[in-house]
Amino acid sequence: MNFNRRLSLILVSTLAGSVLSGCLGLAATGAAVGVMAATDRRTLGAQTDDQGIELKAFARVQDAIKNPGGVSVTSYNRRVLLTGQVLDAAAKQAAEKVVTGIDGVRQIHNELAVSGRSGLGTNANDTLITTKIKAAFVDAKDVQTNTIKVVTEQGTAYLMGILTSDEASRASQVASRVGGVQRVVTVFEVVSLDELKRIEAAAGK
């Protein structure tokens, strides 16, 4: 299957997820899109917790700040990534505070930008970049695509997952070469090979 064919198939999947997220205003990205459970390095319990964390965060951020529609929440192995835009620094801090209070959250990466909400054109471009990154992972052949969660916000690609140091470096390298990517921010949980074997055994892989 050539690169364009893979890109088309991944685009359909990504756009479907974006439609679901778009219906919410405040996006709980992992719950809407997610990764394939068959190759997910998280335990089933962690996957379930991540979905619950995202839904709770969605509700709490919506109540805590004004105009929360530009905020996205992604939880991977109970580590939460906040992306998008808020009106001021106080809103950024408030969003982090309410998410911190959710049971099970291990860590928060607050990447919220204090700026106006991005337009539909920017959102569409970010969706395309995410799709291109996923296709590039598939094309690279030495990157396990379904172990990495990709979130793109205004040209910045955020990568999440449970990876070894070598895997993390390779994934970052591949993503950085994708057209439209302005920078890559890795939010990986980096583990040793021995730790990865234990994780995969626990996850039943």
Side-chain angles (χ1 to χ4, degrees), residues 3-54:
F3 180 82
N4 288 334
R5 174 61 174 166
R6 285 192 291 273
L7 182 62
S8 298
L9 290 174
I10 296 172
L11 179 59
V12 170
S13 175
T14 305
L15 287 175
S18 298
V19 169
L20 291 174
S21 296
C23 294
L24 296 177
L26 172 71
T29 59
V33 183
V35 294
M36 294 177 64
T39 53
D40 201 315
R41 288 174 175 172
R42 297 172 294 175
T43 63
L44 181 58
Q47 293 178 55
T48 301
D49 285 350
D50 285 335
Q51 292 180 356
I53 287 168
E54 289 179 352

Side-chain angles (χ1 to χ4, degrees), residues 66-148:
K66 294 181 180 179
N67 300 320
V71 178
S72 295
V73 181
T74 309
S75 181
Y76 193 97
N77 207 34
R78 306 179 183 95
R79 294 154 60 99
V80 177
L81 170 67
L82 299 177
T83 55
Q85 306 82 39
V86 290
L87 297 179
D88 51 41
K92 178 176 180 175
Q93 294 173 359
E96 181 173 341
K97 182 178 180 180
V98 295
V99 175
T100 300
I102 297 174
D103 289 342
V105 172
R106 298 167 51 206
Q107 191 174 10
I108 295 179
H109 299 272
N110 190 346
E111 296 287 336
L112 291 170
V114 178
S115 64
R117 186 174 177 181
S118 60
L120 292 177
T122 300
N123 293 337
N125 187 58
D126 286 339
T127 298
L128 178 59
I129 290 173
T130 294
T131 303
K132 289 166 66 177
I133 292 172
K134 292 178 180 179
F137 285 164
V138 173
D139 197 51
K141 295 182 175 60
D142 59 346
V143 179
Q144 295 191 42
T145 309
N146 293 318
T147 65
I148 303 171

